[in-house]
């Protein structure tokens, strides 16, 4: 941070602070949430968010005004997460895409009965159970579903963020939702929110 | 692209080609397995949008970050 003070006058720093407060600070909750979902640990999330915002402030002259500041912050967070956090802890679980494919193929339409939608069994689930189901997803799938369904990024923005083709975003998102559905369906069934299927003799 | 994945794109309003969008809409209306796919994708998306337990940045962390940035200004 000292480098900034060497290069910028106090007036320029004040200007940067004002712009940063207006453009970047309002996205702190979104950045914090994403950090929390990615690390699954409050202390690690705190460190990541702090590092993200300090880096963002330091390099705020690189942010193109008028573009998506939230996406820019998320990119800084992702780089910190990959370069620092994940190296210090552990490599992410390698995703065996064949396993995911097999799992996914096993979720057939016959497991999905229209009455689920009518009775809306998921309504009774706790927010914590939904959060937990998301955390249990493999990282590649968790990332796209959080960015799309919670943060509202477009496929193109997610592709840019994760550095994968748009088609892969769509494919991962499709599978992530199916996996999440299966997980939540199991929770709902265990809690008796879903009527057990009658077996014919 | 698999048809099922096109349904995902339809739910996310990411199908740009209007005739394709209309065709998918018809399939969702008339084809039971496709409709199921659509309902699963839509339900999960809506569930996360509405129910995901979003946390607010703890005040302590927010203040710590802002203080550190603010200190730079007057160093």
């Amino acid at each position: 941070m000292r480098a900034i003070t060497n290069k910028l006058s106090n007036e320029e720093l004040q200007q940067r602070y004002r712009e940063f407060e207006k453009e970047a600070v309002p996205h702190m909750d979104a950045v914090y949430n994403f950090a929390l979902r990615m690390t699954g640990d409050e202390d690690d999330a705190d460190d990541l968010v702090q590092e993200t915002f300090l880096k963002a402030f330091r390099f705020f002259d690189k942010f193109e005004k008028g573009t998506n500041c939230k996406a820019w912050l998320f990119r800084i967070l992702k780089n910190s997460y990959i370069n620092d956090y994940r190296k210090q802890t552990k490599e992410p679980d390698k995703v065996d895409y064949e396993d995911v494919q097999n799992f996914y193929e096993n979720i057939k339409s016959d497991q999905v009965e229209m009455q689920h939608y009518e009775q809306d069994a998921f309504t009774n689930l706790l927010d914590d159970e939904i959060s937990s189901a998301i955390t249990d997803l493999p990282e590649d799938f968790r990332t796209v579903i959080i960015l799309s369904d919670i943060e509202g990024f477009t496929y193109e923005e997610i592709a840019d963020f994760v550095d994968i083709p748009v088609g892969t975003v769509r494919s991962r998102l499709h599978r992530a939702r199916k996996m999440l559905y299966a997980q939540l369906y199991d929770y709902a069934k265990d809690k008796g929110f879903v009527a057990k299927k009658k077996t014919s003799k | 692209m698999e048809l099922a994945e096109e349904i995902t794109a339809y739910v996310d309003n990411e199908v740009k080609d209007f005739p394709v969008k209309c065709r998918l809409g018809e399939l969702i209306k008339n084809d039971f397995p496709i409709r199921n796919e659509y309902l699963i994708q839509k339900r999960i998306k809506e569930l996360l949008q509405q129910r995901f337990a979003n946390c607010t940045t703890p005040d302590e962390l927010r203040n710590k970050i802002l203080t550190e940035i603010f200190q730079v200004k007057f160093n």
Side-chain angles (χ1 to χ4, degrees), chain A residues 14-33:
Chain A
Q14 285 185 38
Q15 174 69 16
R16 180 178 291 196
Y17 184 79
R18 278 196 296 274
E19 286 174 3
F20 190 79
E21 198 170 33
K22 189 177 151 210
E23 294 275 352
V25 174
H27 300 298
M28 198 182 286
D29 285 348
V31 172
Y32 178 73
N33 267 288

Side-chain angles (χ1 to χ4, degrees), chain A residues 1 10 14 29 33 37 50 54 114 117 120 123 125 127 134 149 155 170-171 173-174 177-178, chain B residues 1 4-5 8 12 14 36-37 39-41 43 49 51-55 57 62 68 72-73:
Chain A
M1 297 299 277
N10 197 39
Q14 285 185 38
D29 285 348
N33 267 288
R37 300 302 158 212
Q50 190 176 355
L54 293 180
M114 291 311 289
Y117 305 113
D120 209 357
T123 303
L125 290 172
D127 287 353
I134 292 172
D149 294 353
Y155 284 7
R170 181 175 48 230
S171 170
L173 193 50
H174 176 79
R177 288 192 188 132
K178 295 283 289 240
Chain B
M1 190 195 336
E5 289 177 14
T8 301
D12 294 321
E14 291 270 358
N36 262 352
E37 283 289 344
L39 290 172
I40 288 175
Q41 296 287 320
R43 185 68 192 98
Q49 284 173 335
R51 294 277 311 281
F52 193 81
N54 267 333
C55 312
T57 313
R62 180 181 289 271
E68 195 149 340
V72 171
K73 190 170 151 185

Side-chain angles (χ1 to χ4, degrees), chain A residues 104-116:
Chain A
Y104 165 77
E105 289 298 334
N106 285 332
I107 308 170
K108 297 292 184 191
S109 294
D110 62 355
Q111 291 182 332
V112 181
E113 299 155 13
M114 291 311 289
Q115 66 179 46
H116 300 170

Side-chain angles (χ1 to χ4, degrees), chain A residues 109, chain B residues 7 27 30-40:
Chain A
S109 294
Chain B
I7 298 299
L27 279 171
N30 302 319
D31 186 307
F32 182 76
I34 295 293
R35 182 165 174 75
N36 262 352
E37 283 289 344
Y38 169 75
L39 290 172
I40 288 175

Side-chain angles (χ1 to χ4, degrees), chain B residues 35-75:
Chain B
R35 182 165 174 75
N36 262 352
E37 283 289 344
Y38 169 75
L39 290 172
I40 288 175
Q41 296 287 320
K42 188 166 173 276
R43 185 68 192 98
I44 292 296
K45 185 181 175 76
E46 286 172 352
L47 187 76
L48 296 191
Q49 284 173 335
Q50 293 160 8
R51 294 277 311 281
F52 193 81
N54 267 333
C55 312
T56 310
T57 313
D59 286 344
E60 199 183 339
L61 175 64
R62 180 181 289 271
N63 293 337
K64 193 175 166 188
I65 292 168
L66 295 179
T67 303
E68 195 149 340
I69 291 169
F70 190 69
Q71 276 172 351
V72 171
K73 190 170 151 185
F74 294 106
N75 270 347

